[in-house]
Amino acid sequence: MSPQSSAKALDGGWGWVIVVVSFMAQFLAYGSPQSVGVLYPEWLDAFQEGKGMTAWVGSLVSGVGLIASPICSACVMNFGARPVTIFSGVMVAGGLMLSAFAPNVEFLIFSYGIVVGLGLGLVYAATVTITCQYFDKRRGLALGIVTTGTSVGGFLYATGQNELIELFGIDGCLLIIGAISLNVIACAGPMRSLQLPGYYLKQKAAYEKAEEQLFSQSEKLPAPKESIITTTPGTAEKSATATDLLIAVETKDSLAYEKSFLSGLALVKIIKNKQKAYSTYFHSTAEFLHDRVFVSLCVTLFLFSLGAFPPVLFMEDVALSEGLIDGVSVIPLVSIVAITTGLGKLVLGILTDIRWINSLYLYAFTVAGTGVALLVIPVTKSYVGLQVLSGIVGFFSGNWAITPYVTTKIIGIDGLTQAYGILMFFGGFGIMLGPPVVGWFYDWTLSYDLAFYFSGSCVLVGGISFFLFALPCWDKKNKENPRRDIEYTSSCDKIASVA
């Protein structure tokens, strides 16, 4: 697509179609994993395993996608959003359907935790990347609408899965949900990329090089009579000849390279160049880790993920084990968490655009508020109280939407790609460890009280520590050389890799 047509497509037109299909893709893919708390009690009854062991299923499905986000983003940049979305739909649907035939928890950890988790990472990277390509000035609004699909999916799927379990059992529920998730493939159809992916650019460059060699050889060598009679310029046979020549040239070059005495030196040179690139990358990463506020943010995100994610998985089981409700409610606690998380994303995103609000302090407040709510859960003896606390935890959990904004405030827009990748590693690691740790606490004490005291304390300590380390009194140089305001650019490459 030409630059002119690409510029016309920004901030409107077909871009809103991209927003709709990206929203639906995240809705269909993230619906079941976001409401995995409804499935958790059923798996406990079906397999009779410990809560810590069973919790690995829900923790991996959310943590694997975050940890593998750099790989998922690389796939989108090389192959495009449409093929990656199609492949992610197959992975999510296949993992859900495969989980219906799971004979034990170990199989569920692979099918639901790893397979579906990787599919989620791919669909998230693809939808965010294609949305960034179509929007510039309204990119924040477009991304806010698209990412809300996960919260809306979690809200509706929690109630839907509850009804399907009552009608068809846990196995039938997973089969039906998996079949519905196949519609992610249909969402990939309208994802027409404005920028050619890296893989196609390489193929195009190789093809053009082969055509140039074809024309140069045709000028030097006289054409045979048969080829003059049977072939004319501009026919399809010219393309076939160019393709054959491309294969021949590549084969000839590779054989000549292997026979060359300088092949070893060339290989050493390539290795040195790669090593230099990796050393530069790790050096820049080490510079980020020298920033006091950024290191504090990494620790805070880890503690927040470690303590704030388990309520999504265990809240229903807490209500059942305490005898506060018989069976799962018509509107499960997981649904309340999901819908308030979507509301929190929108509200907190709007607040960060207000100039007199410090986004770092706002983030610290949301983390600390989540920690206080978690500490109150063990002393709550009514289902209505758990509903209120679920709403508070969900609303403050919407701070995931402002995490990139906070990162740019600390590091700057140029280092957002690498810095956000480091943050997502810490966040994914915390999400993977949180539910099993809470489950092990229950298996040890036969109560959730100590587990939630531990989770709430971790989150509260993370919020307070980040607030203290973000105070300007630690570094007087920040007053002398204040960081410039963030200048948002239309570069999609940085945002794509952040996805």
Side-chain angles (χ1 to χ4, degrees), residues 208 210-220 238 245:
E208 291 177 352
E211 281 191 333
E212 291 178 0
Q213 293 182 0
L214 172 65
F215 294 144
S216 62
Q217 289 184 7
S218 62
E219 292 177 357
K220 294 178 180 179
K238 173 184 173 183
L245 181 60

Side-chain angles (χ1 to χ4, degrees), residues 176-204:
I176 295 173
I177 294 298
I180 295 174
S181 299
L182 281 173
N183 289 283
V184 174
I185 300 175
C187 296
M191 292 184 181
R192 182 178 58 196
S193 180
L194 295 179
Q195 300 175 355
L196 287 177
Y199 176 78
Y200 296 104
L201 290 175
K202 293 179 182 178
Q203 295 296 318
K204 182 180 179 181

Side-chain angles (χ1 to χ4, degrees), residues 88-89 120 244 274 412:
S88 67
L120 297 181
D244 295 338
K274 293 290 185 181

Side-chain angles (χ1 to χ4, degrees), residues 371-387:
V372 173
L374 292 174
L375 291 174
V376 179
I377 288 178
V379 300
T380 304
K381 301 302 179 183
S382 66
Y383 191 74
V384 176
L386 287 180
Q387 289 177 321

Side-chain angles (χ1 to χ4, degrees), residues 427-489:
F429 192 58
I431 287 177
M432 288 179 59
L433 290 181
V437 169
V438 173
W440 290 330
F441 270 112
Y442 182 90
D443 295 336
W444 178 39
T445 62
L446 298 180
S447 175
Y448 281 109
D449 294 349
L450 185 61
F452 276 90
Y453 285 137
F454 170 79
S455 298
S457 300
C458 289
V459 177
L460 185 60
V461 169
I464 295 175
S465 63
F466 181 70
F467 174 78
L468 294 177
F469 281 105
L471 292 174
C473 61
W474 288 85
D475 193 357
K476 296 181 180 179
K477 293 182 180 180
N478 291 336
K479 296 182 180 180
E480 299 174 359
N481 299 317
R483 192 183 301 276
R484 294 182 300 175
D485 293 337
I486 301 171
E487 297 179 358
Y488 294 98
T489 64

Side-chain angles (χ1 to χ4, degrees), residues 65-89:
L66 290 177
I67 293 178
S69 58
I71 300 176
C72 298
S73 298
C75 292
V76 177
M77 298 302 295
N78 281 280
F79 301 104
R82 182 182 292 168
V84 172
T85 303
I86 293 174
F87 186 72
S88 67

Side-chain angles (χ1 to χ4, degrees), residues 228-427:
I228 296 175
I229 296 174
T230 59
T231 307
T232 59
T235 61
E237 296 178 0
K238 173 184 173 183
S239 177
T241 307
T243 305
D244 295 338
L245 181 60
L246 172 61
I247 300 174
V249 168
E250 289 181 349
T251 306
K252 182 178 179 181
D253 290 343
S254 61
L255 292 175
Y257 181 78
E258 292 176 358
K259 294 179 180 179
S260 175
F261 292 102
L262 300 177
S263 60
L265 296 177
L267 181 61
V268 172
K269 185 177 180 180
I270 293 174
I271 294 175
K272 286 184 177 180
N273 292 334
K274 293 290 185 181
Q275 185 179 3
K276 183 179 180 180
Y278 285 124
S279 62
T280 303
Y281 175 82
F282 287 118
H283 179 71
S284 59
T285 303
E287 290 181 353
F288 293 146
L289 297 179
H290 282 88
D291 192 307
R292 179 192 69 255
V293 183
F294 179 72
V295 173
S296 176
L297 179 61
C298 292
V299 176
T300 299
L301 185 62
F302 171 76
L303 294 176
F304 178 78
S305 303
L306 182 68
F309 180 72
V312 179
L313 185 62
F314 290 100
M315 196 67 79
E316 294 294 337
D317 196 49
V318 169
L320 294 174
S321 61
E322 296 293 334
L324 302 179
I325 189 174
D326 296 330
V328 181
S329 174
V330 177
I331 301 179
L333 298 175
V334 179
S335 296
I336 298 176
V337 173
I339 197 64
T340 52
T341 300
L343 179 62
K345 289 178 180 178
L346 295 177
V347 173
L348 295 175
I350 295 173
L351 290 177
T352 53
D353 290 334
I354 301 176
R355 288 187 173 273
W356 56 269
I357 292 182
N358 191 309
S359 59
L360 275 65
Y361 298 157
L362 177 64
Y363 184 83
F365 173 76
T366 58
V367 175
T370 305
V372 173
L374 292 174
L375 291 174
V376 179
I377 288 178
V379 300
T380 304
K381 301 302 179 183
S382 66
Y383 191 74
V384 176
L386 287 180
Q387 289 177 321
V388 174
L389 292 174
S390 299
I392 295 174
V393 172
F395 182 84
F396 287 147
S397 296
N399 61 8
W400 280 92
I402 65 174
T403 305
Y405 190 94
V406 175
T407 307
T408 53
K409 279 288 186 181
I410 300 172
I411 299 299
I413 191 65
D414 294 333
L416 177 62
T417 300
Q418 291 177 249
Y420 199 76
I422 298 171
L423 278 176
M424 288 302 99
F425 174 80
F426 280 93

